[in-house]
Amino acid sequence: MSHSSEHDAPSSHARTDEGDEAPDYADRILKGGGSVFSGSLIAKAVGFALQVVLGRGFGKTLYGLYSYGLSVLRIVRELSTLGLQNGVVRFGAEHREDGNEAALKGTFLAVGGLGTGAGVLMGGALYLAAPWLSEVALRSTNDPLVFQLFGTALPFYVFTYLGSRMARALGQMRVDVLLDSILQPALFLLLTGIILLLGQGFTMALYAFLASTVLAAGASVYAAYRLFPPLFSSLAPTVDLRTLLRFSLPIVGVSFASIGLARADRIMLGPLAGEEAVGLYTAASKMSVQLRFVLFALTAAFSPVISELYHSGRTDELAQLYADTVRWIALGTLPLAVVLIVFAPDIMALFGTEFREGALLLRVLAGAYIVVAGSGSVGHMLQMSDHQDFAFWVNASMAVLNVGLNWILIQWYGVVGAALATGAAHVLGNVFQLWGLYHFTHIQPFRWNLWKPLAAAGASGAVAWVLFAQLASLSRWLVGIPVALLVYGGVLLALGLSPRDQAIADDLWAELRTRLGA
């Protein structure tokens, strides 16, 4: 760990060579991350409600069938985007900063056209392969309809995803979150609720998924028009397609490998253990992945800043900001980790009493995601500093390892084996990426002041275990979880925030009071 402190860090108001005051990047990250965070709260609420409705409404087997089909759709989507979801942020943010509207328009048109075209081709392939996939992968239902309808939805799904990243390149973080994480799940939740109220079954829910993707894609077109009107004007676009693809195409491998890490467990559970195991595992995975919530919010705002600072040679400031974001992620993630790990049986029961047996899965996966969150935006640090090839090889290697471990451990330990395999691959992948980042850039995110949130989490976890053992189920929700969170906050206050974090907290509190007063 580095011994540097905030007092030694370069100021976020450092002067440029021209003598002008540089942007306050910490403030920009926090404000952008705050926008994503607030939007993501809505997204998480919608997503959680959707998962609970599907789990309770259709049971473990059909919920597992939907989850399996969605896993296949996500994997095919990563192939269809051609890595352009990162390319549009990398070059779109640069063109926006330079005020080059022609290049920005050309980048957006190239990304939208190439991605949607690939989505049509891959969607058609998925539709045609549906009978074979259902025969090979689905032990309980053997129904190709889920793959056929998801294949039809793929081009719209891809377009909406790329549209969200165009909004991110323009610095419109709330629109990014709306298109990426809220709109389609909210529409699907609404339509599914109506279907259940009308007494319709799972097949109609699949058609509701297709309808929600079409509506979300239409909203993406409207958002692009509102955010960047020159996209639909007579302005002649310019684009360096070769440079865009040279950056983006290696990220296909990175993204594909990354989603392989996230989805190989469910893909292999289908043929090896059946849809019911997929349903149980998916519920645990959906809960554990919430530990990436703060990481996701700050990374969305941090990614354009990484590109700007690295390519302008301001690596010292970049290193300090990376360390700051890791500390902020730890502060926000650790209390949730305590709750998920200690109160896992009660949390899994939210999906239905039959899901309670997945508590061990939740604990194993949550332990792995603590490491993922604690690594911060390491993958984006590598990609935005033009080391995407290394990121690809790490993720590809871990994806292969994940497949191998899942194949062995699922047969040995069943659904628990999938959690152990995936957790190990995630941890090792992040360790290798941290090593690579330091090797290439001499940047690492760890500072000694990380001990404070770790100590607070340790104290909170100890108290939570005692309460979990002593209290009945309902009392755990009403007493155990609030007390655990209060202990975490109390220990942090007793240890004291760093001067940098205290100043940020004061600014955020002052802004909140101003808004409440207004």
Side-chain angles (χ1 to χ4, degrees):
M1 287 188 180
S2 171
H3 291 269
S4 61
S5 68
E6 285 83 352
H7 301 291
D8 300 324
S11 168
S12 57
H13 292 284
R15 299 276 173 178
T16 63
D17 293 339
E18 291 80 10
D20 297 327
E21 191 174 87
D24 187 339
Y25 286 105
D27 184 64
R28 174 175 163 183
I29 292 168
L30 286 168
K31 286 185 176 179
S35 296
V36 176
F37 186 85
S38 59
S40 295
L41 281 176
I42 301 173
K44 295 299 181 184
V46 171
F48 179 73
L50 176 60
Q51 300 304 317
V52 169
V53 166
L54 292 172
R56 286 184 172 273
F58 300 114
K60 282 193 295 186
T61 300
L62 291 180
Y63 177 64
L65 176 60
Y66 160 79
S67 301
Y68 194 89
L70 186 63
S71 295
V72 173
L73 178 65
R74 291 279 178 84
I75 291 173
V76 179
R77 184 189 72 176
E78 293 306 316
L79 288 173
S80 302
T81 56
L82 306 176
L84 295 167
Q85 73 276 14
N86 283 55
V88 73
V89 176
R90 163 68 177 84
F91 295 103
E94 181 179 314
H95 296 324
R96 177 176 65 89
E97 289 293 321
D98 295 341
N100 190 343
E101 290 190 344
L104 185 58
K105 178 179 180 178
T107 300
F108 281 6
L109 290 176
V111 166
L114 290 171
T116 304
V120 171
L121 293 176
M122 294 299 296
L126 179 58
Y127 187 95
L128 294 175
W132 175 80
L133 281 172
S134 63
E135 182 178 348
V136 170
L138 304 180
R139 292 174 54 176
S140 302
T141 56
N142 194 27
D143 185 359
L145 182 63
V146 64
F147 299 119
Q148 291 171 339
L149 290 180
F150 280 12
T152 305
L154 180 64
F156 306 100
Y157 205 58
V158 169
F159 186 85
T160 303
Y161 183 44
L162 294 176
S164 73
R165 293 308 184 263
M166 293 178 192
R168 181 179 296 188
L170 294 171
Q172 299 295 325
M173 309 309 300
R174 292 182 179 176
V175 179
D176 173 22
V177 175
L178 175 65
L179 294 177
D180 184 36
S181 306
I182 298 177
L183 188 58
Q184 188 273 329
L187 291 168
F188 184 33
L189 175 62
L190 175 63
L191 294 174
T192 302
I194 294 172
I195 285 169
L196 289 173
L197 288 174
L198 294 176
Q200 298 297 312
F202 181 70
T203 299
M204 288 301 299
L206 294 179
Y207 281 102
F209 179 88
L210 173 59
S212 66
T213 60
V214 174
L215 292 172
S220 297
V221 175
Y222 179 73
Y225 167 72
R226 293 298 302 271
L227 294 177
F228 187 55
L231 187 63
F232 298 90
S233 71
S234 59
L235 175 68
T238 61
V239 61
D240 186 346
L241 191 59
R242 182 175 182 179
T243 300
L244 175 65
L245 291 176
R246 174 64 187 90
F247 176 86
S248 299
L249 287 177
I251 295 175
V252 175
V254 176
S255 299
F256 187 64
S258 296
I259 205 165
L261 280 172
R263 300 280 172 176
D265 39 21
R266 273 160 276 189
I267 293 295
M268 299 185 73
L269 273 171
L272 293 176
E275 292 94 307
E276 182 175 327
V278 176
L280 184 65
Y281 185 89
T282 299
S285 180
K286 291 292 184 182
M287 296 308 303
S288 64
V289 80
Q290 305 311 312
L291 293 177
R292 298 172 59 183
F293 181 35
V294 181
L295 169 65
F296 168 77
L298 288 179
T299 296
F302 189 31
S303 296
V305 173
I306 298 171
S307 179
E308 291 176 33
L309 290 179
Y310 185 83
H311 292 283
S312 62
R314 298 160 67 184
T315 54
D316 288 342
E317 187 172 358
L318 175 59
Q320 183 59 49
L321 284 170
Y322 180 31
D324 288 339
T325 60
V326 166
R327 187 174 65 258
W328 298 333
I329 290 166
L331 286 167
T333 300
L334 287 174
L336 178 59
V338 169
V339 171
L340 289 180
I341 291 172
V342 176
F343 300 98
D346 299 321
I347 290 171
M348 288 295 293
L350 292 172
F351 292 86
T353 55
E354 59 183 334
F355 286 86
R356 193 179 183 88
E357 61 188 278
L360 179 59
L361 305 177
L362 177 54
R363 285 168 173 160
V364 171
L365 292 171
Y369 280 123
I370 291 173
V371 177
V372 172
S375 303
S377 310
V378 61
H380 285 262
M381 286 285 291
L382 286 167
Q383 292 175 29
M384 295 300 169
S385 61
D386 295 334
H387 297 102
Q388 64 269 20
D389 292 345
F390 177 81
F392 162 70
W393 286 113
V394 170
N395 282 283
S397 300
M398 291 304 103
V400 172
L401 176 64
N402 194 29
V403 170
L405 288 177
N406 269 282
W407 176 261
I408 295 170
L409 295 182
I410 290 173
Q411 296 183 79
W412 286 359
Y413 304 113
V415 68
V416 176
L420 291 171
T422 299
H426 275 300
V427 170
L428 287 174
N430 275 267
V431 169
F432 282 127
Q433 288 193 91
L434 286 168
W435 174 85
L437 181 66
Y438 184 77
H439 175 75
F440 291 120
T441 67
H442 298 289
I443 293 174
Q444 57 87 14
F446 304 115
R447 304 294 186 266
W448 286 109
N449 52 17
L450 273 175
W451 75 271
K452 293 181 179 180
L454 290 172
S460 175
V463 172
W465 275 114
V466 172
L467 294 174
F468 177 79
Q470 297 298 321
L471 298 175
S473 181
L474 180 60
S475 298
R476 292 170 192 161
W477 287 99
L478 298 177
V479 178
I481 293 177
V483 168
L485 296 177
L486 286 172
V487 169
Y488 179 82
V491 173
L492 273 182
L493 289 176
L495 295 175
L497 295 175
S498 67
R500 184 180 180 90
D501 291 347
Q502 185 64 57
I504 290 170
D506 291 342
D507 289 344
L508 292 174
W509 176 245
E511 183 177 349
L512 177 61
R513 291 179 62 184
T514 300
R515 291 187 177 184
L516 291 175

